[in-house]
Amino acid sequence: MSLGARLVRRDNSRQRIHKFGWATAAHVFALVMMCASMLWTPLAHAQSDTDAIETIAVQGNQRVEPATIRTYLTLREGDPFDPVRMNRSLQNLFATSLFADVNIVRQGKTLLIRVVENPIVNRIQFEGNKKIKDEDLNKEVQLRARIVYTRTKVQQDVEKILELYRRKGRFAARVEPKIIELPQSRVDVVYEISEGPPTYVRRINFVGNEAFSDGDLRGAVLTREERWWRIFSSSDTYDPDRMNYDRELLRRHYLQSGYADFEVISAVAELAPNRENFYMTFTIKEGPRYKLSKVDVDVRVKDLPKSLVESAVIPSAGEWFNAKKVEDTNDAVVEAAGDAGFTFIDVKPEVRRDPATKTIALTYHVVDGPRIFVDRINLKGNNVTIDRVIRREVILVEGDAFNTAKVRRSKQRLENLGFFKEETVKIDNNPSDVTPDRTNLLVTMEEQPTGELSFGVGYSSASGALFDVGFRQRNLLGKGQDLSANFSIAERTLQGSLSYTEPYFLNRRLSAGVDLSATRQNYQDEAGFTSNNYGATFRLGYQYNEYLYQRFSYQFSATKLTGLAQSVSQAIREQSGQALTSAVSQTITYDRRNNIIDPTRGFYVQMSTTLAGLGGTERFVNAGGGGALYMQPLEGWVITSRVSGSYVVGLGKALKVYQRYQLGGDNLRGFRDFGASPRDALTLDALGGDWLALASVEVRVPLGLPKEAGIKPRIFSEMGIIGAPKDLVNLGTIPLSYSSKPRGSIGVGADWQSPVGVISIDYSPFIFGAQSFDQKQRFRVNFGNRF
C-alpha cells in the first residue's frame, strides 16, 4: 500500500471518530438536562414556600403608624425575600425625611423594619444676632415649629443665614447649630450666630477708563469705599447683588455721555486674607463717543399731528448721544399722544451708528401699537398696606386700554406715598393667558416703616435751643391715613399739635382732615409781645385731575397777646386781650413737578384766599399766590426759581400785628426775623405790612462729594418787598419807619445730613437795599436730630 493511500485512510478514520464523539456528547447533555428538569420543579416549589414573607413587623416608631410605613415598601406578605426590592423599600423610607435611620432585615419568615424617627421641632431660636432681626432670619430658614427635623434642613438653613449676612456685607459671620433634645421626641433648634465685623470695600479700581477719572466712576456706582462718615450707611460693605447693579450703573453713565459702544468686560471682587476687606475691580471698554448727526420723527399714525410728536422730542442734532434722553422722549411722546386721545401707539427709536464719523442718526418711528387692554392688576409685597390703598393710586383699572404713560404716572404716585422703599416700586406687564389682546399688571413693592416715634434736640436762630417729642403714623392700620402728634419746647416757643388726615374720604378723591394746635411764641425781641394761640382747622381737598388740586378749610382760633411792657409800641399795646378768628380758606394748586419730595424738574403754581368774619371778632380778607420752577441743566445741578405775593386788608376793623406780613429770617436770608419789616420809629417794634412780595433763585451745586456724605451745597439770591401798614399810616398817631424798596441778599449755604442730625447753614455776605432801621443777620444756622 502506498503512502498516499495510508494517509487517506487515516484521515477517514479521524472523521468517523469526530462524528461519533460529538454525537455521543450531545446525547449525554440532553439526558442530563432532562433529568435535571424532572428534579428542579419540586425543589423550586419547596424553596419558594420556604423564602416567602409571612409577616412584616415594624419597630421603633412612635408617631408614624405602622400602616403608613408599610405603604412605602415595595414588598408585601407572600412575596419572596428579594434583596433588590428590600433596598428600594429602604430608599423610599429614607426619602420621606421622617426617619433618622432605617434598617430592614430578615428574621426567619418575618421582614423586620427598624426605624429611628426624626424628632419634631419644638421651636427655632437665634442667638447672637444684632444686625439682623429674628423675623428676617425666620423668613430665610425652612425649619419651623411642629415640622420634622432633619440634619439636611439644618445645614441648608445655615447656608441661607450665611448668605443673608453676606448680603449685609458680613463675610466673617459664623453660624453654629445646636440641638436641644426634649421629651416626646422633640427638639429645640438654636442657631448660635457670630456676626463678625462688617466686610468693607477698601478700594474700587477701574481699568480701561480714559474719558472719566476713577473718582468720577466711583461716584456713578452705588457701592462706596469705606469712609468714617458712612457709619450710618451700608453702601461701603460688599454686596454681590449691588455689584451687579453697579455694572448697569456704569453702562448708564457712559450711555448718557455718548459712549454707545461701552461695555463692562469684567467685574471682580477679591476678599483680603483677613476676610475684612474687599477690593473691587471693573474692567471696561469705553469705545468712541458719538454725536447726533440728525434727529427725525416718522409718524405713521393716522390723524396724529407730527408737530405734537416733535414738541415732545428732547434731544436735538449736534448734541452728544444720551440714552436717557432717548428713553425720556419715548415716554414724553406716548404721554403727549395719550393726552390727545391716541391711546394705542408705539414709539420705536432707530439708532444708526457711523463709526467712521462717530455720529448717530436717530429716528423715532411712531406707529400704531397693538390694541391691548388690562386684564388683571395683581399686587405683591404689601404686607401692611391694604390693597385698595394701592389700587386707588394706580390710574389704570381692569378693562382699561393699556397705556405706558399712565403706568409711569401710577408708579410715581405710589412712590409719592412714602410707604415703600426707594426704587422698589415696579409695575410690570405680562401677556394674559386668556387672549393675546390682554395683559396683566404686576405691581411689586417693598414696604418701609411708616411709624415714627421721635425725640429731637437742636438749635434754631428763630427759636433758640429746642427739644421736641413727636409721634406720627403715615399709614395708619395700612389704610393710608395720617395721624401725628407733636410737642416742642424751646427758649422762645412752646407748641403742641394733633393732626389727622383721611386721603380718600367717603372712598372718593376727597382729602379730609383736622388739625388741633396750641402755640406760645415769644416775640419780645422783635415786637415786644408774646402770642398765645389755640385753634382748630378742618380741611377738605379735592383732586380734579392728575395735576390740579384744591383744598378748602375752616379755622377757628383764639389769640391773646401777653407780656406787653410799658415800652412796647402803642399799636401793639392797644391789641391786648383775646381775639377770636373764624375764617374760611381755599387753596388751588397746579403741580407738574417730577417728585414732590425732592423735585429736580417741573413747576407748580398756587393761589389761596382767606375770609375771616363768619363769627368771631376779626374781620379781614387776604389773598396770595406763587409758584416755583425746577430745572436740571446738568447732572447734579438743580436750579430753583420761586416767586410769591400776598395781600391782606381789614374789613371795617384794624388789622392785628400777627395778621400782617413780616419780612426777614426764613423768607429773606440776610435779615433777622422781622428784620426788614415796618417798625415803630420810637420802640423799634416790628408792626408788619399789608402786602409782601418775594422772589428767589437757588442753585444746587454738585461738588463731587459722595452722596453718603449727605452734603447739599447751594448758591442763592433772594429779594423781598413789603408794604406799609395802611391803617397805621392813615391814623398818623404812631411814628413809623418803613420802606417799600426791595431788599435782598446773595449768599451760599448747605444742608448736611450729619450723624447728629440735619445741619442747615446759610451765609449772606452780600446784602442790598437794607434801610437804616433794618436788622441784618449774615449768618443763620439751624440744626437738630430726631431719633
Side-chain angles (χ1 to χ4, degrees):
M1 186 178 295
S2 66
L3 178 59
R6 286 198 300 271
L7 290 174
V8 170
R9 183 177 296 176
R10 189 174 298 171
D11 289 339
N12 290 336
S13 301
R14 288 177 179 175
Q15 289 180 4
R16 286 195 300 268
I17 291 172
H18 283 304
K19 289 180 180 180
F20 176 79
W22 286 113
T24 304
H27 285 297
V28 172
F29 178 75
L31 181 61
V32 171
M33 292 300 296
M34 183 177 63
C35 296
S37 63
M38 295 174 62
L39 295 174
W40 177 258
T41 300
L43 289 174
H45 283 290
Q47 186 177 9
S48 176
D49 293 339
T50 303
D51 289 347
I53 300 173
E54 292 186 359
T55 306
I56 297 178
V58 179
Q59 294 180 356
N61 58 308
Q62 298 180 20
R63 299 184 312 275
V64 185
E65 294 294 332
T68 303
I69 295 176
R70 291 190 181 97
T71 60
Y72 294 101
L73 303 178
T74 59
L75 294 166
R76 300 291 183 268
E77 285 87 350
D79 292 345
F81 288 93
D82 186 351
V84 175
R85 296 169 67 184
M86 291 169 64
N87 184 61
R88 191 177 302 120
S89 300
L90 186 70
Q91 294 175 354
N92 291 345
L93 289 172
F94 269 116
T96 65
S97 298
L98 296 172
F99 310 104
D101 192 18
V102 179
N103 191 16
I104 300 179
V105 297
R106 172 183 177 181
Q107 290 187 352
K109 296 183 178 182
T110 300
L111 184 66
L112 182 60
I113 314 297
R114 294 194 184 99
V115 297
V116 177
E117 293 180 349
N118 277 322
I120 295 295
V121 176
N122 179 55
R123 62 178 176 174
I124 305 293
Q125 286 184 307
F126 303 96
E127 294 182 356
N129 56 307
K130 297 180 181 179
K131 300 299 181 181
I132 302 179
K133 299 179 180 179
D134 286 2
E135 51 266 30
D136 295 330
L137 292 172
N138 273 316
K139 294 177 183 177
E140 293 294 323
V141 300
Q142 56 181 326
L143 278 180
R144 295 286 186 273
R146 295 183 298 278
I147 70 172
V148 177
Y149 161 86
T150 65
R151 289 190 295 269
T152 302
K153 290 181 180 178
V154 171
Q155 293 302 321
Q156 291 173 350
D157 287 348
V158 168
E159 289 300 321
K160 290 183 178 180
I161 295 173
L162 289 174
E163 179 62 26
L164 187 60
Y165 271 96
R166 292 188 187 106
R167 292 178 183 175
K168 296 290 184 179
R170 293 181 177 268
F171 281 75
R174 297 289 183 269
V175 180
E176 184 69 24
K178 300 293 184 183
I179 310 303
I180 302 175
E181 296 184 1
L182 302 174
Q184 300 177 354
S185 188
R186 296 177 301 124
V187 294
D188 285 344
V189 181
V190 180
Y191 294 99
E192 295 183 352
I193 301 173
S194 174
E195 295 182 324
T199 311
Y200 294 107
V201 176
R202 179 65 65 182
R203 187 72 177 172
I204 303 177
N205 300 309
F206 298 91
V207 178
N209 56 308
E210 296 180 358
F212 297 97
S213 66
D214 286 8
D216 293 334
L217 298 183
R218 291 189 189 106
V221 298
L222 191 60
T223 305
R224 295 288 183 258
E225 295 180 345
E226 180 191 8
R227 295 294 185 271
W228 66 268
W229 60 76
R230 298 193 178 106
I231 56 177
F232 296 107
S233 172
S234 61
S235 60
D236 57 350
T237 57
Y238 173 70
D239 184 343
D241 294 334
R242 189 192 298 135
M243 186 176 185
N244 290 331
Y245 184 56
D246 288 340
R247 296 171 64 111
E248 175 63 18
L249 291 178
L250 285 173
R251 189 185 72 86
R252 294 181 187 178
H253 178 74
Y254 271 91
L255 288 180
Q256 291 176 16
S257 301
Y259 295 88
D261 296 333
F262 172 81
E263 61 178 318
V264 179
I265 298 176
S266 67
V268 179
E270 296 179 299
L271 181 62
N274 60 4
R275 302 182 66 85
E276 294 183 1
N277 296 297
F278 268 97
Y279 295 86
M280 296 172 55
T281 302
F282 293 92
T283 303
I284 62 177
K285 181 181 178 182
E286 293 180 332
R289 193 181 188 189
Y290 291 86
K291 271 191 176 182
L292 293 174
S293 58
K294 72 171 184 176
V295 179
D296 196 10
V297 175
D298 176 24
V299 180
R300 303 178 186 178
V301 179
K302 184 179 179 181
D303 298 329
L304 177 62
K306 185 175 181 180
S307 58
L308 177 67
V309 177
E310 289 177 335
S311 63
V313 175
I314 298 174
S316 57
E319 295 183 8
W320 293 109
F321 172 75
N322 189 324
K324 187 176 185 303
K325 287 186 177 181
V326 175
E327 296 175 0
D328 292 343
T329 296
N330 286 5
D331 295 338
V333 170
V334 172
E335 184 175 358
D339 292 340
F342 296 87
T343 304
F344 303 103
I345 72 164
D346 195 7
V347 181
K348 299 179 179 179
E350 181 186 359
V351 177
R352 299 186 301 275
R353 296 184 183 90
D354 186 352
T357 59
K358 298 179 182 179
T359 58
I360 288 179
L362 178 61
T363 303
Y364 291 96
H365 298 284
V366 183
V367 298
D368 287 311
R371 302 181 66 85
I372 299 176
F373 298 87
V374 178
D375 187 20
R376 293 193 308 273
I377 299 177
N378 302 314
L379 309 180
K380 181 180 178 182
N382 56 315
N383 301 318
V384 175
T385 309
I386 61 178
D387 287 2
R388 65 181 174 87
V389 173
I390 299 174
R391 291 183 181 276
R392 68 195 185 194
E393 301 299 331
V394 179
I395 302 174
L396 293 168
V397 297
E398 283 88 348
D400 281 356
F402 176 77
N403 187 302
T404 55
K406 289 185 177 181
V407 169
R408 182 174 56 82
R409 289 204 299 269
S410 299
K411 178 178 180 293
Q412 183 176 339
R413 285 163 61 107
L414 288 171
E415 291 174 339
N416 288 340
L417 289 175
F419 300 164
F420 312 109
K421 293 182 179 179
E422 187 178 357
E423 298 182 354
T424 64
V425 178
K426 298 180 180 179
I427 303 180
D428 301 314
N429 63 295
N430 303 301
S432 173
D433 298 333
V434 181
T435 56
D437 64 340
R438 297 278 176 172
T439 186
N440 296 326
L441 296 183
L442 176 61
V443 184
T444 59
M445 72 289 293
E446 185 177 348
E447 293 181 316
Q448 65 180 358
T450 55
E452 302 174 8
L453 179 61
S454 58
F455 300 89
V457 293
Y459 174 81
S460 168
S461 296
S463 302
L466 61 89
F467 167 80
D468 72 352
V469 57
F471 165 80
R472 186 182 183 188
Q473 176 53 261
R474 294 178 290 110
N475 189 14
L476 187 65
L477 302 176
K479 298 180 179 180
Q481 300 161 343
D482 193 334
L483 176 66
S484 64
N486 183 264
F487 173 79
S488 63
I489 182 172
E491 294 180 30
R492 305 173 60 187
T493 304
L494 180 64
Q495 180 182 20
S497 63
L498 178 66
S499 178
Y500 172 79
T501 302
E502 167 55 68
Y504 274 75
F505 184 58
L506 300 177
N507 292 323
R508 297 180 179 271
R509 294 177 66 86
L510 296 173
S511 174
V514 58
D515 304 311
L516 305 176
S517 64
T519 305
R520 181 179 182 182
Q521 181 70 49
N522 185 338
Y523 293 117
Q524 294 291 338
D525 292 343
E526 295 87 355
F529 67 89
T530 297
S531 172
N532 299 273
N533 180 273
Y534 310 89
T537 302
F538 302 91
R539 298 174 276 107
L540 185 66
Y542 178 71
Q543 194 96 21
Y544 289 101
N545 54 40
E546 192 65 23
Y547 311 107
L548 188 61
Y549 175 80
Q550 188 168 20
R551 185 182 72 178
F552 299 91
S553 64
Y554 170 76
Q555 180 187 30
F556 185 84
S557 63
T559 305
K560 184 177 182 180
L561 303 186
T562 62
L564 302 178
Q566 290 298 322
S567 58
V568 75
S569 173
Q570 178 184 344
I572 298 175
R573 191 164 54 248
E574 292 175 351
Q575 297 178 357
S576 61
Q578 182 168 274
L580 301 178
T581 303
S582 176
V584 292
S585 303
Q586 74 82 29
T587 301
I588 187 167
T589 304
Y590 184 70
D591 194 342
R592 293 300 299 263
R593 290 176 292 179
N594 64 334
N595 189 295
I596 63 174
I597 299 174
D598 186 19
T600 57
R601 294 187 303 274
F603 67 93
Y604 77 88
V605 179
Q606 187 177 82
M607 293 181 291
S608 63
T609 55
T610 300
L611 173 64
L614 304 177
T617 61
E618 304 307 297
R619 306 285 187 273
F620 64 87
V621 61
N622 67 28
L629 174 65
Y630 301 86
M631 297 179 293
Q632 190 175 22
L634 299 171
E635 186 69 25
W637 293 74
V638 179
I639 302 175
T640 304
S641 302
R642 295 185 180 92
V643 294
S644 64
S646 303
Y647 186 87
V648 61
V649 59
L651 300 178
K653 293 194 66 175
L655 291 170
K656 296 290 194 298
V657 62
Y658 50 83
Q659 293 166 355
R660 298 192 188 100
Y661 304 109
Q662 303 290 348
L663 182 62
D666 289 336
N667 63 4
L668 184 60
R669 286 168 284 193
F671 296 82
R672 293 185 58 186
D673 293 303
F674 300 12
S677 299
R679 300 180 178 280
D680 186 317
L682 298 177
T683 65
L684 299 182
D685 293 324
L687 303 178
D690 291 352
W691 57 270
L692 179 71
L694 299 168
S696 69
V697 176
E698 184 174 287
V699 181
R700 186 189 302 175
V701 183
L703 296 182
L705 298 174
K707 186 177 180 180
E708 287 73 22
I711 299 177
K712 296 181 178 179
R714 57 178 175 265
I715 302 173
F716 64 85
S717 177
E718 295 184 331
M719 185 179 68
I721 308 174
I722 190 168
K726 289 186 178 179
D727 51 350
L728 297 180
V729 172
N730 295 334
L731 188 62
T733 59
I734 300 175
L736 298 175
S737 297
Y738 67 91
S739 174
S740 296
K741 293 183 178 180
R743 281 92 150 178
S745 64
I746 300 174
V748 295
D751 292 330
W752 179 29
Q753 183 67 51
S754 72
V756 296
V758 179
I759 299 177
S760 179
I761 301 174
D762 291 299
Y763 177 61
S764 307
F766 305 104
I767 298 175
F768 57 87
Q771 303 301 304
S772 59
F773 54 86
D774 289 343
Q775 299 176 357
K776 301 177 183 179
Q777 185 185 53
R778 299 183 184 276
F779 188 75
R780 189 172 181 86
V781 60
N782 293 281
F783 75 86
N785 188 29
R786 300 179 69 84
F787 48 88

